[in-house]
Amino acid sequence: MLNRIALALCVSLFFTLSAQAYSGLPEFTQLIENASPAVVKINTVEHVKKRKQLSLQNRQQDIPDIFRHLFEPRQSPERNAHSMGSGFIISDDGYILTNHHVIADADEIQVRLIDRREFSAKVVGTDESSDLALLKIEGENLPTLSFADDKNLKVGEWVVAIGSPFGLDFSASAGIVSAIGRSIPSERNVNYVPFIQTDVAINPGNSGGPLFNLDGEVVGINSQIYTRSGGSIGLSFAIPSSVAQNVVQQLRDKGRVDRGWLGVVIQEVDKDLAASFGLDKPTGALIAQMDPGGPASKSGLKVGDVIIKFGRADIYKSGDLPHAVGSVAPGTKVAVTLIRKSKKKVITVEVGALNGESNEVADIDKPDMSGGRLGLVVESLDSNMKKSWQINEGVVVRQVVADGAGAKAGLMPGDVIAQLGFDQISGVKDYQKAQKALPTGRLVPIRFFRRGRPAFRTIQVDQ
């Protein structure tokens, strides 16, 4: 009898504890119901230009006239490239926030709401460095979402995403914040976004969609995933709401984003470096190189200084510094705390301007679209690349012709050629002159930068 009573008590206690544990889990239904009307699906169309097939003009002289029309250059039919993503409405008159990569190169942008209304969208402005884009549709009294203060976000906090993964409209997924302030350099080797890492199931099509806290406020914009399969493995990254609000304001005001610029190349401080600089542990950002005319150099910062605080922001690792500098308005004077020769020092720096992409001066040198002898279409460096990579001379590769000398040498779009043969390349004119003078059938050195890192290879021109 006692055994039965004990068993009954154990069963009762198990169900009581289970009910309490279940009741402690968050409830997402109301949040999703309230937020979904302001989330949008974005479909884009890119018109791919007609491409001419290779002609045999140099051999037509050997072809009888009656057959010559068969070898005339032909065109393949025009086709459209489609892509999709997500976004959300931030004002009732139709401003929409999404990722830059969602609408990049798009000729048509269609926005669809959960109530099946569809709108054509126009691009107000984009910012590739933060991977954000601001769109506008014509509408009134549209549902909107509000931003949260991401400073209150904590690791372990529940978050919810709504988007269109793999085209499955308005799907919701939930998880927790895994980490805050992740540094993930972009393809352009810039690092201005302190990403929020989550284990929320984010997949292709979720890009540009909102990440919510349990109050239904947007704490981030889903932007990237780490995957080996093409789908979610529990490593997703979102742009913090504070970064998004700053970008939105600048895009609405002037159509571009200007960031603070210090003019330094930095590296991580390891255990041995920390000991040599008189630090009790590895911390800060070590200045490894400086732009001679940059704000840091003018203010008195020196190579070898370890920056441990920028304004009110503590710099624990090197990746923290670009986040802090990029968020400061150009022209602002900031107190920089550093370690120099084992002693702490404070220097005031007037932050420079890293102007937005749409503010660049157009390149007056028109590239040779045929690729020339090397099979490379090149352009002059823009100011942002010079400042971001600390490269003052060279030409950037925009296109690599298949089976050309450049392709065989392993060059890629985005590489910056600084030396060809034994000639230094300062611009497109130098490059054109140097490539014409290259010997045929002989290996020559070529020096280039890939994502800011220098490298030497050899290249051979066969004609």
Side-chain angles (χ1 to χ4, degrees):
M1 183 68 177
L2 291 176
N3 290 336
R4 292 181 179 178
I5 294 175
L7 178 62
L9 289 173
C10 288
V11 171
S12 176
L13 179 61
F14 171 78
F15 282 110
T16 299
L17 292 174
S18 298
Q20 290 176 349
Y22 180 79
S23 64
L25 293 174
E27 172 63 52
F28 303 121
T29 54
Q30 194 62 49
L31 184 161
I32 295 169
E33 182 178 343
N34 293 340
S36 292
V39 180
V40 301
K41 180 180 181 180
I42 298 175
N43 293 307
T44 69
V45 179
E46 178 187 358
H47 302 310
V48 180
K49 297 179 180 178
K50 297 179 180 180
R51 297 180 179 178
K52 294 183 178 181
Q53 296 180 350
L54 293 176
S55 69
L56 300 177
Q57 291 180 345
N58 58 333
R59 296 175 55 189
Q60 283 187 358
Q61 58 185 2
D62 301 325
I63 301 173
D65 291 342
I66 193 172
F67 298 118
R68 192 165 293 177
H69 70 282
L70 298 175
F71 298 91
E72 290 294 328
R74 299 182 181 181
Q75 290 182 335
S76 58
E78 184 173 322
R79 60 185 178 83
N80 294 330
H82 298 264
S83 64
M84 60 186 175
S86 304
F88 57 99
I89 306 172
I90 59 174
S91 67
D92 60 7
D93 59 346
Y95 281 96
I96 294 172
L97 189 60
T98 186
N99 283 150
H100 164 83
H101 75 260
V102 169
I103 56 87
D105 302 320
D107 295 301
E108 300 177 26
I109 304 174
Q110 295 293 324
V111 170
R112 182 178 179 184
L113 276 64
I114 196 171
D115 61 10
R116 303 184 69 82
R117 283 185 292 170
E118 293 190 11
F119 300 85
S120 294
K122 295 181 179 180
V123 178
V124 176
T126 69
D127 179 45
E128 187 176 358
S129 295
S130 65
D131 192 24
L132 290 172
L134 185 64
L135 310 179
K136 180 69 168 64
I137 60 175
E138 297 301 323
E140 296 180 354
N141 300 317
L142 295 169
T144 64
L145 297 177
S146 58
F147 289 105
D149 185 352
D150 59 61
K151 292 180 180 178
N152 298 323
L153 194 65
K154 297 184 181 298
V155 175
E157 183 175 334
W158 282 94
V159 282
V160 178
I162 301 177
S164 301
F166 298 109
L168 300 172
D169 299 0
F170 306 100
S171 299
S173 53
I176 64 167
V177 176
S178 304
I180 294 173
R182 288 295 194 206
S183 296
I184 307 176
S186 70
E187 292 182 356
R188 299 170 59 196
N189 202 32
V190 294
N191 182 18
Y192 294 113
V193 178
F195 285 98
I196 302 167
Q197 180 187 328
T198 77
D199 68 352
V200 179
I202 301 297
N203 289 287
N206 274 114
S207 292
L211 184 73
F212 299 96
N213 60 20
L214 292 185
D215 294 327
E217 300 170 318
V218 178
V219 294
I221 297 84
N222 298 309
S223 176
Q224 299 184 34
I225 61 172
Y226 178 82
T227 178
R228 294 179 178 175
S229 63
S232 173
I233 60 171
L235 281 171
S236 58
F237 302 92
I239 303 160
S241 59
S242 57
V243 173
Q245 291 179 85
N246 179 273
V247 169
V248 166
Q249 188 63 48
Q250 292 198 57
L251 290 178
R252 291 188 69 167
D253 290 347
K254 51 191 176 185
R256 69 173 192 273
V257 177
D258 295 336
R259 289 183 171 81
W261 172 60
L262 206 54
V264 296
V265 176
I266 56 176
Q267 72 175 69
E268 202 71 58
V269 177
D270 60 20
K271 180 181 178 181
D272 292 337
L273 285 172
S276 67
F277 291 131
L279 299 169
D280 57 358
K281 62 181 179 180
T283 189
L286 172 61
I287 299 178
Q289 186 179 344
M290 300 180 64
D291 186 323
S297 179
K298 293 178 181 178
S299 68
L301 289 174
K302 296 181 180 180
V303 172
D305 289 345
V306 178
I307 299 176
I308 58 174
K309 193 165 187 176
F310 187 84
R312 296 181 179 179
D314 292 317
I315 309 301
Y316 296 109
K317 53 186 182 296
S318 61
D320 294 336
L321 186 60
H323 302 163
V325 176
S327 64
V328 175
T332 304
K333 292 184 178 181
V334 178
V336 178
T337 304
L338 56 92
I339 302 297
R340 179 184 295 171
K341 295 180 179 180
S342 302
K343 295 182 180 179
K344 184 179 291 186
K345 188 179 182 67
V346 178
I347 292 179
T348 300
V349 178
E350 183 173 340
V351 178
L354 186 63
N355 294 332
E357 286 86 349
S358 62
N359 197 38
E360 294 170 2
V361 178
D363 181 14
I364 60 175
D365 293 313
K366 295 183 179 179
D368 178 8
M369 299 307 293
S370 69
R373 297 182 71 199
L374 299 183
L376 300 172
V377 179
V378 302
E379 295 178 353
S380 297
L381 289 173
D382 59 51
S383 58
N384 281 349
M385 294 180 71
K386 290 180 180 179
K387 292 178 179 179
S388 297
W389 293 346
Q390 300 296 305
I391 301 173
N392 295 320
E393 296 182 337
V395 291
V396 60
V397 177
R398 289 303 183 196
Q399 185 177 338
V400 179
V401 178
D403 297 324
K408 293 176 182 178
L411 293 174
M412 300 170 59
D415 289 345
V416 177
I417 299 173
Q419 179 181 328
L420 187 54
F422 297 100
D423 295 321
Q424 299 299 317
I425 307 300
S426 60
V428 173
K429 291 182 179 179
D430 285 347
Y431 171 84
Q432 299 292 5
K433 182 179 179 181
Q435 74 160 348
K436 290 179 181 178
L438 288 176
T440 301
R442 196 173 78 193
L443 291 172
V444 297
I446 181 170
R447 185 169 69 93
F448 62 95
F449 291 84
R450 178 167 293 170
R451 297 183 180 178
R453 296 183 178 181
F456 266 101
R457 289 191 182 177
T458 56
I459 193 166
Q460 179 175 311
V461 179
D462 294 324
Q463 58 181 358

